[in-house]
């Protein structure tokens, strides 16, 4: 590349990475990003607009996000000193990797996670020069206990990322397997990503109390407030203080701080209502999918459904796109993922259109 004196200055890891870009194009129905459907009441929208209008646009936001952290603490059942707020879970992942990525005078920390799982664990780690080991989930898309234990015992202790419910499979990992892995890896920091926990039958907060090497990630992005870009980490107060040294100043803008506080206090019932509606629609959509010949469905604890088609997922995905319906396909990874797709639970009308489009896609592929 000519006239690029900056090229030799770039990290070598960038050569193997691509920017994280969602599928582009105009689609009638978006069921690819695991957003909640638009279920917020008019009263709630008016209240958010009222609070937003009171923003002091010329002022920096509270650098500690104190009131927001208090609201998160009350909502989550912890103390404010156990809360670190980030721009979605993504920033918190980078904070963790930056703070714990390299031991003093020793080789870089290792990162272990499962596959398939949230792609940012791998991307953010590799961009920081950290070795990443991805352990395949078992046949039921659950934690492969023995393989995961071997991975932590044979690599330099670092960070273990476990998304539960997992993305893209929607599975809530077995609690006894989680405990087994945590107890066998006391030198590792175990990060349990609960981005979709509001849709699950139970959470894993008890593990935070039982084990000093556990932290939990949560977010508002999946329950109807993705535009706020608010996520938080729950962990031991001592660790939170150290991680806070890595956090950039004023990382949470004033608007998100104020609106997030209102959402978690005044509008908490709206979150519960949204999640209940999605769970009901998730059941209906899963049952309808399971009735389609050649389709098998994995039981979901999230706001999306992981399903397999007998025909290649790539053909189904392309046909759906041509019909104006966007879902997520994982055929590019090959192997057992070549027939797997993920669809976000939408409104009843959106889901009905998706089912009709899927039927046509499968007929075309056949």
């Amino acid at each position: 590349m000519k006239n690029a004196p900056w090229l030799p200055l770039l990290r070598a890891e960038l050569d193997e990475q691509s920017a994280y870009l969602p599928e582009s194009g105009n689609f009638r129905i978006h069921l690819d990003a695991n957003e909640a459907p638009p279920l917020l009441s008019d009263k709630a929208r008016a209240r958010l607009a009222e609070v937003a209008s009171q923003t002091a646009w010329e002022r920096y936001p509270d650098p500690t996000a104190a009131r927001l952290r208090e609201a998160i603490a009350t909502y989550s059942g912890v103390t404010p000193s156990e809360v670190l707020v980030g721009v979605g879970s993504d920033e918190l992942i980078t904070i963790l990797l930056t703070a714990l990525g390299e031991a003093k005078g020793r080789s870089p920390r290792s990162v272990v996670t499962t596959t398939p799982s949230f792609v940012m664990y791998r991307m953010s780690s590799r961009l920081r020069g950290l070795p990443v080991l991805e352990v395949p989930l078992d046949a039921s898309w659950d934690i492969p206990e023995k393989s995961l234990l071997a991975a932590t015992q044979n690599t330099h202790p670092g960070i273990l990322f476990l998304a539960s419910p997992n993305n893209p499979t929607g599975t809530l990992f077995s609690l006894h397997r989680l405990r087994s892995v945590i107890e066998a890896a006391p030198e590792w920091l175990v990060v349990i990503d609960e981005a979709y926990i509001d849709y699950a039958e139970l959470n894993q907060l008890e593990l935070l109390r039982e084990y000093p090497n556990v932290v939990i990630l949560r977010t508002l992005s999946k329950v109807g407030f993705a535009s706020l870009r608010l996520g938080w980490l729950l962990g031991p107060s001592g660790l939170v203080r150290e991680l806070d040294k890595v956090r950039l100043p004023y990382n949470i803008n004033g608007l998100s701080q104020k609106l997030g506080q209102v959402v978690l206090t005044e509008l908490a019932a709206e979150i519960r209502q949204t999640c209940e509606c999605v769970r009901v629609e998730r059941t209906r959509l899963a049952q309808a999918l399971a009735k389609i010949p050649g389709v098998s469905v994995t039981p979901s604890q999230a706001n999306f459904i992981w399903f397999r088609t007998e025909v290649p997922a790539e053909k189904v995905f392309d046909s759906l796109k041509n019909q104006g319906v966007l879902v997520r396909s994982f055929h590019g990874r090959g192997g057992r993922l070549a027939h797997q797709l993920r669809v976000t639970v939408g409104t009843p009308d959106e889901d009905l259109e998706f089912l009709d489009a899927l039927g046509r896609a499968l007929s075309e592929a056949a």
Side-chain angles (χ1 to χ4, degrees):
M1 186 181 299
K2 295 182 179 180
N3 299 321
W6 42 264
L7 189 59
L9 303 177
L10 295 177
R11 295 187 66 107
E13 290 84 2
L14 291 176
D15 290 340
E16 64 181 48
Q17 298 291 339
S18 299
Y20 185 88
L21 296 173
E23 187 80 26
S24 60
N26 295 319
F27 297 94
R28 188 175 71 260
I29 297 176
H30 284 264
L31 298 176
D32 63 312
N34 298 342
E35 301 153 325
L39 299 174
L40 199 61
S41 69
D42 291 341
K43 182 179 180 180
R45 292 178 185 276
R47 176 57 179 149
L48 292 171
E50 177 188 8
V51 173
S53 70
Q54 300 168 1
T55 300
W57 302 108
E58 73 283 1
R59 301 295 183 188
Y60 283 111
D62 174 8
T64 66
R67 292 184 177 179
L68 176 58
R69 288 190 299 108
E70 289 174 2
I72 290 171
T74 300
Y75 184 82
S76 304
V78 299
T79 65
S81 65
E82 297 173 304
V83 177
L84 183 69
V85 188
V87 181
S89 299
D90 305 282
E91 185 188 24
L92 295 165
I93 291 169
T94 63
I95 287 175
L96 285 163
L97 292 168
T98 302
L100 285 78
E102 187 170 346
K104 294 179 180 178
R106 288 184 285 177
S107 58
R109 295 292 190 187
S110 298
V111 175
V112 171
T113 186
T114 57
T115 184
S117 194
F118 186 37
V119 68
M120 293 309 297
Y121 305 145
R122 179 181 73 249
M123 286 183 61
S124 295
S125 298
R126 289 182 174 172
L127 287 172
R128 284 159 182 77
L130 301 176
V132 183
L133 179 59
E134 296 177 293
V135 181
L137 295 174
D138 70 11
S140 300
W141 309 108
D142 200 352
I143 287 180
E145 187 176 351
K146 292 183 179 179
S147 299
L148 203 56
L149 289 175
T152 58
Q153 292 167 2
N154 296 322
T155 53
H156 189 61
I159 304 178
L160 172 58
F161 287 105
L162 297 172
S164 181
N166 184 49
N167 174 21
T169 63
T171 45
L172 190 70
F173 292 151
S174 301
L175 195 56
H176 72 276
R177 294 192 186 187
L178 276 174
R179 279 203 173 90
S180 177
V181 170
I182 294 168
E183 291 173 0
E187 296 181 342
W188 288 72
L189 182 69
V190 181
V191 181
I192 301 176
D193 191 342
E194 290 191 333
Y196 301 94
I197 203 64
D198 295 274
Y199 300 102
E201 296 174 353
L202 52 88
N203 64 48
Q204 292 125 153
L205 188 63
E206 62 190 88
L207 300 178
L208 180 67
R209 297 301 182 210
E210 293 178 24
Y211 303 103
N213 62 325
V214 169
V215 300
I216 288 176
L217 300 181
R218 291 182 179 176
T219 181
L220 284 180
S221 294
K222 310 305 178 183
V223 293
F225 300 94
S227 66
L228 293 182
R229 298 301 293 126
L230 274 179
W232 59 88
L233 176 148
L234 307 177
S237 56
L239 174 60
V240 169
R241 282 195 301 272
E242 294 303 309
L243 295 175
D244 197 43
K245 299 175 183 178
V246 180
R247 181 182 57 84
L248 294 176
Y250 309 110
N251 65 322
I252 307 300
N253 69 75
L255 190 59
S256 289
Q257 286 191 36
K258 287 188 175 184
L259 296 183
Q261 181 186 350
V262 171
V263 166
L264 292 166
T265 54
E266 298 177 37
L267 304 184
E270 293 267 350
I271 295 178
R272 292 192 293 271
Q273 178 65 24
T274 293
C275 293
E276 177 59 25
C277 289
V278 170
R279 283 191 291 266
V280 170
E281 180 62 11
R282 180 182 68 192
T283 298
R284 191 189 73 82
L285 179 57
Q287 291 174 345
L289 278 170
K291 293 178 181 178
I292 300 176
V295 173
S296 57
V297 177
T298 298
S300 175
Q301 291 282 304
N303 69 331
F304 55 83
I305 294 175
W306 178 244
F307 66 101
R308 185 184 189 280
T309 57
E310 289 183 359
V311 299
E314 182 176 12
K315 292 184 178 181
V316 178
F317 176 71
D318 288 341
S319 177
L320 289 172
K321 281 177 57 178
N322 292 335
Q323 297 179 67
V325 179
L326 187 61
V327 298
R328 282 293 301 273
S329 175
F330 296 80
H331 61 266
R333 302 190 193 182
R336 61 175 174 167
L337 302 189
H339 290 257
Q340 294 287 157
L341 298 107
R342 188 195 72 196
V343 59
T344 305
V345 177
T347 65
D349 287 343
E350 288 175 331
D351 293 339
L352 182 59
E353 286 201 54
F354 156 70
L355 289 167
D356 289 341
L358 177 63
R360 289 189 289 271
L362 292 173
S363 297
E364 292 173 6

